[in-house]
Amino acid sequence: MNSKFSLWALSWPIFLELFLQTLLGTVDTVMVSHISDGAVAVVGFSNQLFNALNTLFMTIATGAGILVAQRIGMKREEEARTIAIMAVTACTLISAAISLALYFYSAPIAGMLNVSNELLPLWNVYVSNIGAGMVLTGLIAVLGTVIRNTGNTKGPMFIGIGMNVVHIVLNYGFIYGAFGMPTWGLFGVTVSGNLSKLFAAVLLLYMFVFAFERTVRLRDFGIFKLSLFRQILKIGWPLGVNMSCWVFSQLAIYAFLADLGDKELAARTYMNTLESFCFMLGGAIAAAAQIQIAHLFGAGKIRDAYAAAYRALWVGLAFVAASSILLYLFGRPALGLFTKDGQIVAMGVSLLTLNLVLQPGKMLNMALGNALNAVGDTRFTMLASLGSMSVIATGCSYWLGLEMGWGLIGIYCCMIADEYVRGAMSFYRWRGKKYLNKGAAQPVPARLEAAVPL
């Protein structure tokens, strides 16, 4: 196997990017908390909305990324290039439409999501302006995904680091009025966010032009091959439904938290930031494993692809367990960095023990779920997500959290149960080797088509 597709070579740039992104995101949250806890609640809640809408273009981006890795494994780079170009064009058009919708309809969306009257002014400022930059978010997502799946995870890492540094510096200026900049509060956060995304999108586009053996030119973005685009959709639409299940369940959970109160909403937002540190190395390993397994599967190395999933799982579990213990030990002072509200801190501390149970389940689910996606078994992960997230993550969260009065603790327990149920289903599916065996029975040129669910 090409050394650039080894687990270590793929995962460490993804991890470093996630680490610095999470670190800078934490600094960003601390800065926003100096505006108000309400501003933090709005940012946390609206980000769930943005995640939900992201699935509309991530369906194409993720499906195309898997196909690019598989095609490169098959030594069919020209088709990989065509798939990547079509994905960039489609994602740009979709995200531009989302930008227009969010800019003009932020207030009606707030009504649908039960945003309180106290938070509504902040919501309108943040959602309409950050929403207008969703076209940049779409470009960054698809360009970064495609470039990583060519085996180049370092380039997006450096650009991601630069984007977040620019965002933090501009945030500092607009929130505190530093460097002679105007003090714009939450509006300034949206300006710095969009400017930093523009910086990243331009650099990623430049990198994408040279990502394949043949340079991508402006006229190439008019390329459209229906047969290849159908393959993107066939492998991508179950991934899109899968992602939609997760983000919409999170959106529903945040709506439940909004019913419980603004303090519960803020506590969950702060804990979500801290939990990201626990899982970022595990998440990087799972993301790298998907690229590696797709490449191995495309190259016909079925036995290596099967073993790679378990190797990624065990390595990821070790790191996730260690980081969860560290958060348990230092979680209280970490929460104190965000807020001085004793009630919010107490709510966050109550979740630290449960987080020790949550993170291994997430690793199990992500590592083996990504392995299934890498070989094209996306319909199974979609069905598993539909069942578990709708019944356990969302339905049981409402029942235990609101109806039974367990509040934030009840909702968190349901999130844990959902991760383990989906992880167990993925484990047994991967052991069955259904799609791997299909690939082994096919000649290499036909393997990609065999991996795409009908």
Side-chain angles (χ1 to χ4, degrees):
M1 182 177 63
N2 190 322
S3 61
K4 73 177 183 178
F5 283 96
S6 69
L7 186 65
W8 168 249
L10 291 169
S11 61
W12 78 259
I14 297 175
F15 163 70
L16 187 56
E17 181 181 354
L18 288 174
F19 174 75
L20 293 175
Q21 183 177 344
T22 304
L23 181 63
L24 293 171
T26 303
V27 175
D28 185 38
T29 303
V30 171
M31 288 182 179
V32 173
S33 71
H34 290 172
I35 300 173
S36 69
D37 286 328
V40 172
V42 163
V43 171
F45 196 175
S46 59
N47 282 344
Q48 302 307 311
L49 171 64
F50 297 148
N51 288 338
L53 294 172
N54 283 351
T55 61
L56 296 174
F57 52 79
M58 284 304 296
T59 296
I60 294 173
T62 309
I66 291 172
L67 295 181
V68 165
Q70 290 184 350
R71 293 282 178 166
I72 290 175
M74 295 176 181
K75 310 299 183 185
R76 294 161 69 173
E77 182 158 323
E78 189 62 28
E79 287 187 9
R81 177 181 180 275
T82 300
I83 289 169
I85 291 170
M86 289 192 297
V88 171
T89 303
C91 289
T92 302
L93 293 175
I94 293 169
S95 58
I98 295 172
S99 290
L100 293 173
L102 288 173
Y103 183 77
F104 289 107
Y105 298 106
S106 63
I109 293 171
M112 294 168 57
L113 297 175
N114 297 325
V115 177
S116 66
N117 291 331
E118 292 78 12
L119 297 180
L120 188 57
L122 292 171
W123 172 276
N124 287 334
V125 168
Y126 191 77
V127 171
S128 61
N129 288 288
I130 286 292
M134 284 291 283
V135 63
L136 299 173
T137 303
L139 264 175
I140 292 169
V142 67
L143 292 170
T145 300
V146 168
I147 292 169
R148 287 187 193 94
N149 278 273
T150 65
N152 178 10
T153 54
K154 293 180 183 178
M157 173 196 72
F158 288 120
I159 292 174
I161 293 169
M163 177 182 73
N164 283 282
V165 169
V166 170
H167 179 51
I168 291 299
V169 171
L170 292 178
N171 254 13
Y172 184 78
F174 287 131
I175 291 175
Y176 303 109
F179 316 121
M181 299 169 72
T183 307
W184 280 346
L186 192 60
F187 173 70
V189 174
T190 68
V191 173
S192 66
N194 285 334
L195 287 177
S196 61
K197 288 175 187 175
L198 178 62
F199 163 80
V202 170
L203 291 181
L204 282 170
L205 188 59
Y206 177 80
M207 185 174 293
F208 175 73
V209 168
F210 303 102
F212 299 93
E213 290 181 0
R214 193 159 65 89
T215 302
V216 176
R217 303 192 181 279
L218 183 61
R219 63 176 179 270
D220 293 330
F221 288 99
I223 292 174
F224 183 81
K225 292 188 177 181
L226 184 59
S227 61
L228 291 178
F229 195 72
R230 281 177 176 168
Q231 291 182 23
I232 294 173
L233 294 180
K234 282 181 179 180
I235 201 169
W237 78 262
L239 290 171
V241 173
N242 193 347
M243 288 185 287
S244 296
C245 288
W246 186 84
V247 295
F248 280 111
S249 71
Q250 292 299 302
L251 194 58
I253 287 170
Y254 268 76
F256 301 157
L257 293 171
D259 281 343
L260 292 174
D262 292 347
K263 291 184 184 294
E264 285 82 357
L265 194 59
R268 175 57 192 148
T269 301
Y270 292 136
M271 271 301 295
N272 193 49
T273 300
L274 293 178
E275 288 168 15
S276 298
F277 282 101
C278 286
F279 191 69
M280 58 191 168
L281 183 51
I285 291 169
Q290 178 171 298
I291 298 171
Q292 182 188 50
I293 292 168
H295 183 264
L296 289 169
F297 181 75
K301 299 179 180 179
I302 306 303
R303 187 174 298 176
D304 290 340
Y306 179 74
Y310 293 116
R311 183 167 57 251
L313 173 61
W314 292 117
V315 172
L317 282 174
F319 284 111
V320 163
S323 58
S324 298
I325 292 170
L326 287 175
L327 179 57
Y328 177 78
L329 295 175
F330 300 103
R332 180 182 288 273
L335 285 165
L337 296 173
F338 298 110
T339 180
K340 302 304 179 185
D341 189 307
Q343 280 185 281
I344 295 176
V345 172
M347 290 177 190
V349 169
S350 69
L351 301 177
L352 291 173
T353 302
L354 291 175
N355 184 62
L356 293 171
V357 183
L358 172 67
Q359 297 304 325
K362 287 181 69 174
M363 189 67 229
L364 174 67
N365 180 34
M366 281 287 290
L368 297 182
N370 280 12
L372 291 169
N373 291 334
V375 300
D377 198 0
T378 55
R379 181 168 291 186
F380 175 82
T381 56
M382 174 195 72
L383 293 174
S385 296
L386 275 172
S388 182
M389 290 186 186
S390 59
V391 175
I392 300 175
T394 305
C396 291
S397 286
Y398 178 81
W399 177 60
L400 280 181
L402 274 63
E403 295 293 323
M404 300 299 292
W406 287 26
L408 191 56
I409 297 294
I411 291 173
Y412 212 84
C413 287
C414 294
M415 292 167 55
I416 293 172
D418 166 61
E419 294 288 354
Y420 278 96
V421 167
R422 286 187 290 132
M425 288 191 288
S426 295
F427 174 75
Y428 285 108
R429 181 72 167 187
W430 186 251
R431 280 186 61 186
K433 302 182 182 179
K434 179 178 179 180
Y435 270 77
L436 281 170
N437 289 336
K438 281 187 178 182
Q442 295 287 334
V444 171
R447 187 168 294 114
L448 179 61
E449 288 73 12
V452 177
L454 299 177

